[in-house]
Amino acid sequence: MKQTIIGVAAGAALLLTATPAVAAPKDPLAALRAQLAAGKGVSFSFRMYGESALLTQTGRLQFGKKGIAASDVTGKLATGGDEKPADDFGGGEEPNGLAAAMGKPERTIRIGRTSYVSGGPMSAGLPDGKTWFKQSPGWTSGMTAMFGGFVNAADPSTLKVLLARSKRSGSAYKGSMSVKDLLKASDWSRATMWWKLDSSVKVNWTLAVGSSGLPVKLTTRLESAKAGVSKTAMEMRYTRWGTKVSIKAPAASTVTTKLDPDKSTLQLPPAPKR
């Protein structure tokens, strides 16, 4: 009997030692900070969708020692559907006219706090011979930003607050906070959201990280006390971490700081100074 008990105990001990330990997930914020080197960066793709894609964006982010030093974002709004994205943002004016104006792709280059916008509705007001509108301080994106892309886990200040408000399950972090709190904490959100959301709106997110700890996918949904949880989701995917990224300003000869007042155009409000 004693031999049987000893044999069982020994077998159990062998099983325990043979089972590999599950590695603790790497700290996503530490992993991101390790990427912050001049000339390095990451690529991303974004889509806002309901039953179909409402907005798609592609872009590159160039890092500096403290965070995102430059960005290059191209957005395209789908204009053929019947969905109304403004409703999902807690109310607002009917977006039909704005959506029609955004039928063309819109590209925004931002270096430091200076932005250059080309295409989209801004192009209608450009003087002849000019293809870029310069704004300083400027936004990370133009008119298309109104339909998403204002939560970015590749921005250290944003990732920090997302993690602080999240509960982790495996390699996924889920959480929620008010847009007001997000704007207080996130450099990227303040530099992207040129419009105002209803004060009742909250952001819900799920952040997936890879084995390196770096963000792979960020899915967000908006929630309003009036409308409930939005059926429209926003999804940002990150690829090519650590690759060389060099974002340059457009040629000076193609840039203007003044729009033609005689042409019908939509204008962005002044960007925040911080």
Side-chain angles (χ1 to χ4, degrees), residues 146-179:
M146 185 176 178
F147 298 94
F150 56 86
V151 186
N152 187 350
D155 167 49
S157 65
T158 306
L159 181 59
K160 182 178 180 180
V161 72
L162 293 182
L163 294 174
R165 302 288 187 95
S166 291
K167 290 185 177 180
R168 182 180 65 83
S169 177
S171 60
Y173 296 79
K174 295 184 178 183
S176 175
M177 79 173 81
S178 69
V179 171

Side-chain angles (χ1 to χ4, degrees), residues 58-188:
T58 56
R60 298 178 301 148
L61 305 174
Q62 179 182 330
F63 293 131
K65 293 182 179 180
K66 295 183 179 180
I68 298 173
S71 56
D72 186 347
V73 181
T74 298
K76 176 68 168 63
L77 180 71
T79 57
D82 296 327
E83 293 154 307
K84 300 176 181 179
D87 292 342
D88 292 324
F89 281 86
E93 296 181 358
E94 184 66 41
N96 291 344
L98 181 60
M102 284 194 286
K104 297 180 180 179
E106 176 188 70
R107 184 182 179 189
T108 306
I109 294 175
R110 188 174 191 251
I111 301 173
R113 297 187 183 279
T114 300
S115 295
Y116 305 85
V117 182
S118 181
M122 298 293 290
S123 62
L126 292 172
D128 294 339
K130 304 295 182 180
T131 54
W132 293 90
F133 174 69
K134 178 181 177 180
Q135 188 178 27
S136 187
W139 304 93
T140 65
S141 189
M143 293 291 178
T144 53
M146 185 176 178
F147 298 94
F150 56 86
V151 186
N152 187 350
D155 167 49
S157 65
T158 306
L159 181 59
K160 182 178 180 180
V161 72
L162 293 182
L163 294 174
R165 302 288 187 95
S166 291
K167 290 185 177 180
R168 182 180 65 83
S169 177
S171 60
Y173 296 79
K174 295 184 178 183
S176 175
M177 79 173 81
S178 69
V179 171
K180 182 179 180 181
D181 287 345
L182 177 66
L183 288 171
K184 287 180 180 179
S186 169
D187 294 337
W188 179 270

